[in-house]
Amino acid sequence: WHHQPPSWSTARGESTVAASRFRYDGPVVQSVTPANGPRVGGLVLTIHGKNFGGSDDDPAVEIGNQPCASVTWVSDTSLLCTAPPGVGEVPVHVTVASRPAVAVPLYEYDACFNHTVVDNTQRTTWRSLCSPHSCSAYGSNNNAMVAHWGLSLTKPPQAAYIILDMSLDDHAPIPPEQYRMDIALNGHAVAQNVRMANITHGYPIDGPYTMRQFTYSLPPSVMSLLRTNGQRNLAEFQVSVGVDNFVVVEQFALTVCA
């Protein structure tokens, strides 16, 4: 026998066939493991729930308003994502086949406290301007300026920043690409020949000095190089501005959030 779909007549006597429609339930987020993590992100999270579809549904996950660095479909009830940086308690958004889940505040970024060490020894790359009245440390032309810090930590850091204030001489233009830096932690090189992109030379020529601040955030991958057993950590920072150029670094600072 042949099944006939249901039909009925309209007021005009026209025959209408009911179309069968299927509606799939949207994704639901039930929990996140672990439920908290560092502000710098990088932690692999497991998103538990239901209706996450199949691997070809291209699920997307946002922690707060930031997309996860990578998302892996595990099953209809489980996803993996790498947490982005963030602060505070934030909702977890899951979207499957363009259908969003209800956002629930499930993930919390751990609070951390800044520990800052400062080196106020002025440094310049031009020997002739070093005197008791101008600077207390110098290097000849094309030499790098170096700062060292020691810092003790009792728990793993979440973030670390190197900050410097530079007074730039207007004696001669310095090509921006010549501002470079190297960073080492406990004897391990973590950044080499990094361009200090936001440092620019002041104008007009032979005009007054201009203060510039440069901040470099150490990548999360190097946090494991910092010791947390009470031993001193050594951070080293070198800055170079090329041949026959002149700058004064007024202050180096290292800030670790742990």
Side-chain angles (χ1 to χ4, degrees):
W1 57 279
H2 179 68
H3 172 70
Q4 295 289 337
S7 64
W8 61 89
S9 296
T10 67
R12 296 181 178 180
E14 299 166 338
S15 178
T16 303
V17 178
S20 298
R21 295 187 180 219
F22 296 94
R23 183 177 179 85
Y24 294 98
D25 292 331
V28 176
V29 178
Q30 296 173 329
S31 64
V32 180
T33 307
N36 60 292
R39 291 185 176 187
V40 294
L43 195 64
V44 177
L45 309 179
T46 302
I47 314 295
H48 304 279
K50 59 183 180 179
N51 305 329
F52 292 160
S55 59
D56 58 347
D57 287 316
D58 195 23
V61 181
E62 290 185 351
I63 308 297
N65 294 320
Q66 300 297 320
C68 287
S70 63
V71 177
T72 302
W73 181 89
V74 178
S75 70
D76 183 56
T77 60
S78 181
L79 301 172
L80 299 179
C81 90
T82 302
V87 295
E89 188 179 34
V90 294
V92 176
H93 303 268
V94 173
T95 302
V96 178
S98 300
R99 300 197 64 189
V102 176
V104 182
L106 291 173
Y107 187 73
E108 185 172 7
Y109 288 96
D110 296 331
C112 61
F113 301 94
N114 286 340
H115 305 270
T116 301
V117 288
V118 177
D119 184 342
N120 285 313
T121 302
Q122 293 180 334
R123 293 166 172 81
T124 181
T125 53
W126 196 3
R127 178 188 300 268
S128 62
L129 286 190
C130 274
S131 71
H133 302 94
S134 63
C135 59
S136 53
Y138 66 86
S140 59
N141 290 338
N142 205 30
N143 276 8
M145 292 177 287
V146 183
H148 303 268
W149 302 275
L151 179 66
S152 296
L153 299 172
T154 58
K155 62 179 181 178
Q158 295 191 37
Y161 309 89
I162 288 179
I163 305 168
L164 62 88
D165 287 321
M166 301 175 69
S167 291
L168 305 186
D169 174 44
D170 296 318
H171 177 70
I174 301 175
E177 64 272 10
Q178 291 191 12
Y179 292 105
R180 300 282 179 167
M181 67 175 182
D182 299 334
I183 297 173
L185 291 177
N186 294 323
H188 297 274
V190 299
Q192 292 182 301
N193 207 31
V194 174
R195 180 180 172 185
M196 300 163 66
N198 68 328
I199 295 291
T200 57
H201 196 275
Y203 289 96
I205 298 299
D206 292 327
Y209 292 167
T210 303
M211 184 70 77
R212 297 284 193 272
Q213 186 176 85
F214 178 77
T215 301
Y216 178 78
S217 176
L218 296 176
S221 59
V222 307
M223 295 295 106
S224 61
L225 296 175
L226 292 172
R227 308 182 186 103
T228 58
N229 56 4
Q231 292 183 337
R232 299 283 284 177
N233 288 282
L234 177 62
E236 300 172 272
F237 179 33
Q238 296 190 147
V239 59
S240 178
V241 293
V243 178
D244 200 31
N245 293 326
F246 164 52
V247 296
V248 173
V249 173
E250 304 284 350
Q251 183 181 84
F252 290 91
L254 170 68
T255 295
V256 176
C257 197

